[in-house]
Amino acid sequence: MMQDLVKTIQQVSYMYQDPVTEFVEALYVDFDFDRAAAKLEECESVLENDFFLTHAVDDFVENARFFLAEVYCRIHKRIDMKALTTRLNMKPEDGEKWIVKLIRESRMDAKVDFKEGTVIMNSSYNPVYQQVIERTRNLVFRTQVMNSSIDKNSNPNKKDDAKQKGKQPRAAKRQETAVAAQ
């Protein structure tokens, strides 16, 4: 769903921009975390001043921080907790607690080193053969879908033939019952 949102924002960014769409674009298109953090602050002030969205400010900021931290952690292997908390616009103490909570809840494969103040991300890549199997399954499915759509497009009379074939046995049965009744 997020991928669809990002594609849509990219397509209409020349016509419409606001801090929320700019935040998503900075985070998922440009991977510019500093700009995303600045846009997050703008989003917070815009949402606080919006009559209809005032009640959703805390939820939005919490989820935006989650997305920012998630993308940041996927890209980096070793993360300085102080740098991440400043990007998330949080106090260092609150940020450390929030990051630990995030790692627990999202089940990220990471270790927190409180002595150095870093988060070490463990790589959890699928083996190459597993990736090949998954892509092959996707290709088989796509091929079947393409084949069925080609069949539908190339034989438009096939449905009419099937309908006529279905009617013929019924008519023959009616004649047989009429003959048997006489």
Side-chain angles (χ1 to χ4, degrees):
M1 184 168 157
M2 194 61 157
Q3 292 174 349
D4 296 333
L5 175 66
V6 171
K7 286 180 185 177
T8 305
I9 288 174
Q10 281 181 309
Q11 291 172 352
V12 299
S13 65
Y14 70 93
M15 292 181 352
Y16 178 78
Q17 288 185 342
D18 66 4
V20 176
T21 59
E22 290 174 351
F23 169 76
V24 173
E25 188 175 17
L27 186 60
Y28 285 100
V29 176
D30 302 331
F31 298 103
D32 186 355
F33 299 106
D34 294 327
R35 194 172 111 216
K39 292 298 174 185
L40 179 58
E41 288 180 16
E42 286 182 39
C43 290
E44 192 171 0
S45 65
V46 166
L47 293 176
E48 286 174 349
N49 294 324
D50 190 310
F51 177 77
F52 296 104
L53 299 174
T54 301
H55 66 283
V57 173
D58 294 334
D59 291 334
F60 177 84
V61 170
E62 183 72 20
N63 287 312
R65 284 179 178 158
F66 172 77
F67 286 129
L68 182 66
E70 182 182 28
V71 172
Y72 192 82
C73 290
R74 284 185 183 177
I75 292 175
H76 297 89
K77 189 172 183 176
R78 179 172 285 236
I79 302 158
D80 183 27
M81 290 177 73
K82 289 181 183 177
L84 184 58
T85 54
T86 49
R87 283 202 168 93
L88 297 173
N89 302 326
M90 299 177 83
K91 296 176 186 173
E93 302 84 29
D94 296 335
E96 287 180 7
K97 291 176 186 176
W98 190 84
I99 291 169
V100 170
K101 180 182 168 188
L102 171 74
I103 291 171
R104 285 184 187 152
E105 287 180 358
S106 66
R107 297 182 182 146
M108 288 183 185
D109 191 14
K111 294 179 184 177
V112 178
D113 187 0
F114 287 106
K115 292 179 184 175
E116 294 182 20
T118 59
V119 176
I120 301 166
M121 301 300 297
N122 297 325
S123 60
S124 59
Y125 299 109
N126 287 340
V128 174
Y129 66 89
Q130 186 66 31
Q131 291 176 5
V132 170
I133 290 171
E134 289 175 10
R135 289 186 181 178
T136 305
R137 285 181 187 157
N138 290 337
L139 286 174
V140 169
F141 177 72
R142 285 178 167 173
T143 305
Q144 289 173 345
V145 169
M146 280 181 18
N147 191 18
S148 65
S149 67
I150 289 170
D151 285 345
K152 286 179 184 177
N153 291 335
S154 65
N155 297 326
N157 295 331
K158 196 173 188 179
K159 291 180 183 178
D160 296 334
D161 294 341
K163 287 180 183 178
Q164 290 175 358
K165 287 179 182 177
K167 290 181 181 177
Q168 289 174 351
R170 290 182 192 159
K173 286 182 183 179
R174 287 182 194 150
Q175 289 176 353
E176 289 176 10
T177 26
V179 170
Q182 291 176 353

